[in-house]
Amino acid sequence: MEKTITLAHGNGGKLTHELISSLFLPAFRNPALEAGADSALLELPPGRVVFTTDSHVVTPLFFPGGDIGKLAVNGTVNDLAVMGARPLYLSCGFIIEDGFAFSELERVTRSMAEAAREAGVQIVTGDTKVVEKGAVDGLFVNTSGVGVLRSDAPAGVASIRPGDAVILSGTIGDHGMAIYAGREGIELQTSLQSDCAAITPLVELALSASAGIRVMRDPTRGGLATTLNEFTSRRPFGIELDERALPVREEVRGVCELLGFDPLFVANEGKLVLIASPDSAEAVVEALRGHALGREAAIIGRVTERAPGRVYLRTLVGGERILDMLTGDMLPRIC
Amino acid sequence: MEKTITLAHGNGGKLTHELISSLFLPAFRNPALEAGADSALLELPPGRVVFTTDSHVVTPLFFPGGDIGKLAVNGTVNDLAVMGARPLYLSCGFIIEDGFAFSELERVTRSMAEAAREAGVQIVTGDTKVVEKGAVDGLFVNTSGVGVLRSDAPAGVASIRPGDAVILSGTIGDHGMAIYAGREGIELQTSLQSDCAAITPLVELALSASAGIRVMRDPTRGGLATTLNEFTSRRPFGIELDERALPVREEVRGVCELLGFDPLFVANEGKLVLIASPDSAEAVVEALRGHALGREAAIIGRVTERAPGRVYLRTLVGGERILDMLTGDMLPRIC
């Protein structure tokens, strides 16, 4: 019979401690975690501390290009990185359904450990809750993160000026469409892969290439269009995107057209979008292209004086289309 | 028709932003949150940073003496406080079921804001996910926390010596039995109340009263017996508890006897247990009794050379009983 997680693994008692000492400690091993207290004592370099959180409810748990564990680590790492922080420490909160396969929890844990190692962060504190069958769909993972602000962190949205360039590190829509295909069992799109990755190296390359970076974000839920709207919302400038410049993989475009999705609103999990001063844009694109994750980096648009507060798309045929934030939700549980 | 949370409130787009600006921002208002980025930039006093996380899955969401919001704030505040840290900043991750009443989310949010104000912490970053009906039982809340270590923080478990006193700030079992009564609709026990509270004031009083404090904890899931086992586990000392000295409310004892629960294994959410040097014990108890949350503080046992690694209870009738960590789970989803 398959070994499963039971309610007693979440009672804070004997089985919780066994789960920690037999699974989480060996996988995540680090001094803070080994101290065995309910809180972790951090070693931090000088600099202002940055703090973030994300819960992950993605379904399926395992998908082409990643799984909930890799996503949970990289999602929080990226939220810190785009603030201009060095991601350093993560927490990990599991909520598990009674009867969940132990082997799947092991797989997710190993995946988190590997992603953390790759991103250069440590998982230093955690929590495990188990709820009865039907009270949660399998497994949810919260990761919160702590980092330290780099001295060259961007000044933020308020520093954006008309004429600035909008730069994207690569193709859009890969994560969302890979999840969708995984969920629906679409077998045709064997090449559809989530872009799930830590974008810390891209952030470092961009910041090293130029002091002209105004703001950075990872365009996740809601897609690129929603993220750009967060920049323009209630601001005295607009953003014009050039559809011809937008990198979209053929297979992503194909599935989107088939199903009626717009890649501009589909989630990404390994992309960096940033706004840079006009004179620094080329250098930043060049720097991003120096990394495997940024090969297809491109200037995709400009900050404009016209249409303040708005994001609009100059289409392939020369028309114009307003891009609002995502409204409905055609792809729930994407992250 | 009642206003409810929909999948689109969790898509990261327009409705997510409206939820933030209309509900979370006004309730939690602070500069870090208002900056509107995915991460919060913290203002921290000098000192080592402490980091912790807890997911909350309690059912029912509202119970005598508290609710999931108050519990989520105080649980994380207490995890920081017992490390000897000043709790300063919290994150808040909601996972909500499609169709959840907006009024209940408002009630939980207001409760979190009030608990945060009382505990002197700010909720500075958050995340909201909405999942389809049946994928989560109503509402789960993760809170992670950041604090700064006090200069008088206890040295920890390694500093415990035989002869030390075990001190408890008040009655045990109140939270667990209040939840149980709320869940089962037990109407008789109208006086059963959760002890849910921030124990920061107790921690401050104890640390100010004496430099002889070895270690502090909040005995939550698994109860007092499990927490004490965490102290003795793989250590060259045991702990002897005196049943006569254990404060248990009459109504808690009554319900426990009726249902076959042992209050030593029932969760508390507003209690402090600590180990102090023999010469400082009386002063610490005195100090704790100076606060409303510590009126019934008492020395409940001693650290012993005999029975290393073990916790044992000297019973009312003079017998002895080994107390292990909690094994089964008779009260799941207690926090």
Side-chain angles (χ1 to χ4, degrees):
Chain A
M1 222 178 76
E2 194 175 13
K3 197 174 159 194
T4 61
I5 298 294
T6 65
L7 288 174
H9 284 101
N11 71 4
K14 213 172 182 86
L15 288 184
T16 307
H17 284 81
E18 277 179 28
L19 195 61
I20 293 169
S21 62
S22 71
L23 179 57
F24 302 143
L25 258 183
F28 300 149
R29 195 165 287 293
N30 58 68
L33 198 61
E34 280 165 61
D38 272 351
S39 306
L41 203 51
L42 307 184
E43 300 279 354
L44 287 174
R48 284 190 67 185
V49 171
V50 180
F51 181 33
T52 193
T53 193
D54 259 326
S55 294
H56 299 82
V57 298
V58 68
T59 180
L61 295 176
F62 305 92
F63 49 82
D67 58 70
I68 192 170
K70 182 178 177 185
L71 192 64
V73 168
N74 289 334
T76 294
V77 161
N78 291 347
D79 278 351
L80 293 172
V82 295
M83 281 286 283
R86 290 182 211 282
L88 294 169
Y89 298 105
L90 299 189
S91 65
C92 167
F94 289 117
I95 303 176
I96 313 174
E97 187 175 17
D98 183 21
F100 190 76
F102 191 85
S103 60
E104 294 209 347
L105 183 62
E106 265 185 318
R107 205 173 143 198
V108 169
T109 303
R110 277 199 304 269
S111 173
M112 292 187 80
E114 190 186 327
R117 228 175 353 255
E118 277 178 24
V121 297
Q122 294 181 2
I123 297 169
V124 290
T125 188
D127 176 58
T128 304
K129 294 289 190 301
V130 182
V131 298
E132 72 275 18
K133 275 193 179 42
V136 71
D137 183 17
L139 173 71
F140 294 165
V141 183
N142 176 282
T143 45
S144 299
V146 168
V148 167
L149 205 66
R150 302 164 55 109
S151 56
D152 56 2
V157 173
S159 65
I160 296 174
R161 297 283 172 273
D164 285 351
V166 181
I167 296 170
L168 180 67
S169 66
T171 55
I172 54 171
D174 300 71
H175 176 72
M177 286 302 99
I179 294 288
Y180 185 83
R183 197 179 293 173
E184 303 295 322
I186 296 175
E187 300 294 336
L188 292 168
Q189 285 71 31
T190 47
S191 55
L192 277 180
Q193 285 258 332
S194 167
D195 56 349
C196 182
I199 57 171
T200 334
L202 295 180
V203 166
E204 280 176 16
L205 286 169
L207 290 176
S208 303
S210 162
I213 293 170
R214 317 294 199 193
V215 70
M216 303 185 290
R217 282 293 160 88
D218 51 331
T220 54
R221 272 190 297 177
L224 180 66
T226 298
T227 300
L228 295 179
N229 268 285
E230 289 171 0
F231 294 157
T232 58
S233 170
R234 288 187 297 271
R235 299 283 169 177
F237 56 79
I239 286 179
E240 176 181 298
L241 285 188
D242 178 1
E243 191 168 16
R244 288 168 311 178
L246 275 177
V248 186
R249 255 181 243 296
E250 264 322 302
E251 54 269 44
V252 169
R253 195 187 300 279
V255 181
C256 277
E257 277 175 8
L258 198 70
L259 301 168
F261 292 117
D262 182 341
L264 281 161
F265 292 92
V266 176
N268 313 280
E269 290 291 343
K271 291 305 181 307
L272 173 66
V273 60
L274 62 86
I275 294 187
S277 65
D279 57 322
S280 69
E282 290 298 341
V284 170
V285 168
E286 206 54 44
L288 291 175
R289 286 184 177 162
H291 192 278
L293 292 175
R295 291 271 180 272
E296 291 160 289
I299 298 173
I300 58 165
R302 293 277 165 193
V303 176
T304 62
E305 276 185 77
R306 62 173 283 235
R310 287 289 190 185
V311 178
Y312 52 101
L313 183 72
R314 173 117 2 239
T315 66
L316 294 174
V317 295
E320 218 174 86
R321 180 155 74 90
I322 296 288
L323 300 173
D324 204 346
M325 284 190 177
L326 179 61
T327 49
D329 198 352
M330 297 195 292
L331 280 173
R333 298 184 62 187
I334 209 71
C335 61
Chain B
M1 221 179 78
E2 194 175 12
K3 198 174 158 194
T4 61
I5 298 295
T6 65
L7 288 174
H9 283 101
N11 71 2
K14 215 175 181 82
L15 287 185
T16 306
H17 284 81
E18 277 178 26
L19 195 60
I20 293 170
S21 62
S22 72
L23 179 56
F24 302 143
L25 259 183
F28 300 149
R29 194 167 291 293
N30 58 67
L33 198 61
E34 280 165 62
D38 271 351
S39 307
L41 204 51
L42 307 183
E43 300 280 354
L44 287 174
R48 284 190 66 186
V49 171
V50 180
F51 181 33
T52 193
T53 193
D54 258 326
S55 294
H56 298 82
V57 298
V58 67
T59 181
L61 296 176
F62 305 92
F63 49 83
D67 58 69
I68 192 172
K70 182 178 178 185
L71 192 65
V73 168
N74 289 334
T76 294
V77 161
N78 290 347
D79 278 351
L80 293 171
V82 295
M83 283 285 284
R86 289 181 211 282
L88 294 169
Y89 298 106
L90 300 189
S91 65
C92 168
F94 289 116
I95 303 176
I96 313 174
E97 187 175 15
D98 183 20
F100 190 76
F102 191 84
S103 59
E104 294 210 346
L105 183 62
E106 265 185 317
R107 205 173 142 198
V108 170
T109 303
R110 277 199 306 268
S111 172
M112 293 187 79
E114 190 187 326
R117 226 172 358 253
E118 277 178 23
V121 297
Q122 294 181 0
I123 297 169
V124 290
T125 188
D127 176 57
T128 303
K129 295 289 190 302
V130 182
V131 298
E132 72 276 19
K133 273 192 183 36
V136 71
D137 183 17
L139 173 70
F140 293 164
V141 183
N142 176 283
T143 44
S144 298
V146 168
V148 167
L149 206 66
R150 301 164 55 111
S151 56
D152 55 2
V157 173
S159 66
I160 295 174
R161 297 285 172 268
D164 285 352
V166 181
I167 296 169
L168 181 67
S169 66
T171 56
I172 55 172
D174 300 70
H175 176 72
M177 286 302 98
I179 294 288
Y180 185 83
R183 198 179 291 172
E184 303 296 321
I186 295 176
E187 301 294 338
L188 290 169
Q189 284 71 31
T190 48
S191 55
L192 277 179
Q193 284 258 333
S194 166
D195 56 348
C196 182
I199 56 171
T200 335
L202 294 180
V203 166
E204 280 176 15
L205 286 169
L207 291 175
S208 302
S210 163
I213 293 172
R214 317 295 200 193
V215 70
M216 304 184 291
R217 281 296 157 86
D218 51 332
T220 54
R221 273 190 299 177
L224 180 66
T226 298
T227 300
L228 295 179
N229 268 285
E230 289 171 359
F231 294 156
T232 59
S233 171
R234 290 187 295 272
R235 298 284 169 177
F237 56 79
I239 286 179
E240 176 182 299
L241 285 189
D242 178 2
E243 192 169 17
R244 286 169 311 176
L246 276 177
V248 186
R249 254 181 244 296
E250 264 321 301
E251 54 268 48
V252 168
R253 194 189 299 280
V255 181
C256 277
E257 277 175 8
L258 197 70
L259 302 167
F261 292 119
D262 182 342
L264 279 161
F265 292 91
V266 176
N268 313 280
E269 289 290 344
K271 292 304 181 305
L272 173 67
V273 60
L274 61 86
I275 294 186
S277 65
D279 56 323
S280 70
E282 290 298 341
V284 170
V285 169
E286 206 55 43
L288 292 175
R289 287 184 176 162
H291 192 279
L293 292 175
R295 290 271 180 273
E296 290 161 289
I299 299 174
I300 59 165
R302 293 277 166 193
V303 177
T304 62
E305 276 185 74
R306 62 174 284 233
R310 288 289 189 186
V311 178
Y312 52 101
L313 182 72
R314 176 123 350 244
T315 65
L316 293 175
V317 295
E320 219 175 84
R321 180 156 74 90
I322 296 287
L323 299 174
D324 204 346
M325 283 189 178
L326 180 62
T327 49
D329 197 354
M330 297 194 292
L331 279 174
R333 299 184 62 189
I334 209 72
C335 62

